[in-house]
Structures are given as structure tokens and as C-alpha cells.
Amino acid sequence: MAVHPSHPDIIKRLKRAEGHLRSIVTMLEEGRDCLEIAQQMQAVESAVGNAKKTLVHDHIDHCLEHAVDGVGARDAISQFKAITKYL
């Protein structure tokens, strides 16, 4: 498995989202205001979505470029179609 330059940034984003998610559980357990909880949940959802987009774009930029050079356009197009379902 290859590690790409974007992976450390993605890991940081996901760890930050993980911490936020834990705090949301605590907020729920403490009976905090629903509006505040919903705002924090939106922040976690956004962080995970941005991490996913970064990963998909990195795959398109690097992995598919190498696939076209080495394997062929047909396999690269197949990979592209497969990864875009996660956008």
C-alpha cells in the first residue's frame, strides 16, 4: 500500500474529527442544547467530507495518472468510475 503526500493531512483531519465526535457524545450525555450539538455534528460531517474529497482527488491525481502510464486507459477509467461513487 502506497502512502501519498496527502495522507498525513487526512490523518490529522480525521483525528480532529474523532475528537470532536467524542465531545459530541459527551455533550449528549450532559444534556446540552440541541442546536449546539447539531452545529458540532455538522462540523464533524464537514471535516470527514473534506478528508474524503482530499483522498479521492489525491487518488485521481496520482494513482490514476500512474495507471494510465503503466496499465492502460481502460483500467484507469474503471478505477475513476469506481472512486467517483464516493464523492
Side-chain angles (χ1 to χ4, degrees), residues 17-31:
E18 180 182 35
H20 262 97
L21 193 55
R22 275 195 229 107
S23 70
I24 292 168
V25 170
T26 300
M27 291 170 73
L28 285 163
E29 291 171 343
E30 293 173 349

Side-chain angles (χ1 to χ4, degrees), residues 59-69 75-76 79-80 83:
H59 179 73
I60 291 168
D61 289 344
H62 296 95
C63 299
L64 295 183
E65 183 178 300
H66 288 30
V68 169
D69 291 341
D75 288 336
Q79 284 188 30
F80 181 75
I83 194 101

Side-chain angles (χ1 to χ4, degrees), residues 36-62:
E36 187 179 355
I37 294 168
Q39 290 170 334
Q40 292 302 311
M41 291 175 83
Q42 177 62 36
V44 169
E45 186 177 339
S46 178
V48 171
N50 287 333
K52 180 179 70 171
K53 284 179 189 175
T54 300
L55 180 74
V56 170
H57 289 165
D58 184 62
H59 179 73
I60 291 168
D61 289 344
H62 296 95

